[in-house]
Amino acid sequence: MTSRNKLDQWSYFEERGLAERFECSWVEAPDYRAVVAALRAEEETLACDLDQARRWYRTYSEEDLVWVAEQSPGWVKMFAVSGLSPWRALDSLPQPGGRAYHLAYYAGEITEPVYFNGDEWEDTIPDDHWDRPRQEGADLVGSPVIGREMNFYLAALAYATGRFIDDTWFTTPGLLCRIPKGTWPQ
């Protein structure tokens, strides 16, 4: 059992060398294989965990590689390994009436999380998503400032999707998927 603060999620990415580039989506869906099918991934998928999937990372890759795995019951996570994230496809992935979230960080800049509410894209995530992380001080955990901001966003997503990032988040079995060029609009 670790004594790490559960709100210090960003430190897991820092430890694994993922603090320069992070792009992940969370989709309300029955299971990760349903999301893989909806993504229209090529049949060339590889069963692996995120630690293994990262071996296929290529800087400035034109090939879109996404690792897809269970987040918690009813939720699936999609981590962009190389190329562009399939956030462009998020509105077609959730189960009917389901939600989806997307969070990206690159070169010192966080793109504020985006939210699909089951019917349409929302400009902002509802305020009640931020209440618990704010009350628990998620924005005060970590350093530098970018770490605190990411911990705040990741805590809000953890409460919404039912799972915090920890060591097992990276070792959950999933599928590394190649998304054929032109499958989703750029």
Side-chain angles (χ1 to χ4, degrees), residues 86-101:
W87 70 268
R88 309 170 301 283
L90 282 182
D91 54 358
S92 63
L93 299 181
Q95 56 196 2
R99 298 166 290 166
Y101 300 91

Side-chain angles (χ1 to χ4, degrees), residues 23-121:
E23 191 163 4
C24 193
S25 300
W26 293 262
V27 178
E28 200 168 18
D31 63 52
Y32 72 98
R33 293 185 186 277
V35 171
V36 169
L39 279 173
R40 295 185 257 163
E42 287 185 352
E43 287 188 25
E44 295 177 31
T45 56
L46 175 67
C48 63
D49 62 27
L50 181 56
D51 287 333
Q52 295 164 331
R54 290 187 46 234
R55 295 180 195 164
W56 280 269
Y57 170 74
R58 301 293 177 262
T59 306
Y60 306 114
S61 176
E62 291 188 24
E63 181 176 60
D64 296 339
L65 295 174
V66 179
W67 177 71
V68 182
E70 297 293 330
Q71 166 76 1
S72 64
W75 283 93
V76 173
K77 57 191 166 198
M78 299 185 310
F79 188 91
V81 174
S82 267
L84 298 173
S85 169
W87 70 268
R88 309 170 301 283
L90 282 182
D91 54 358
S92 63
L93 299 181
Q95 56 196 2
R99 298 166 290 166
Y101 300 91
H102 180 78
L103 177 62
Y105 169 82
Y106 181 71
E109 296 286 327
I110 298 173
T111 303
E112 193 164 324
V114 295
Y115 172 64
F116 182 76
N117 72 7
D119 296 316
E120 62 187 0
W121 287 102

Side-chain angles (χ1 to χ4, degrees), residues 128-145:
D128 62 342
H129 281 66
W130 310 119
D131 292 343
R132 190 166 177 190
R134 190 172 289 113
Q135 291 167 353
E136 294 184 5
D139 56 337
L140 305 174
V141 176
S143 70
V145 173

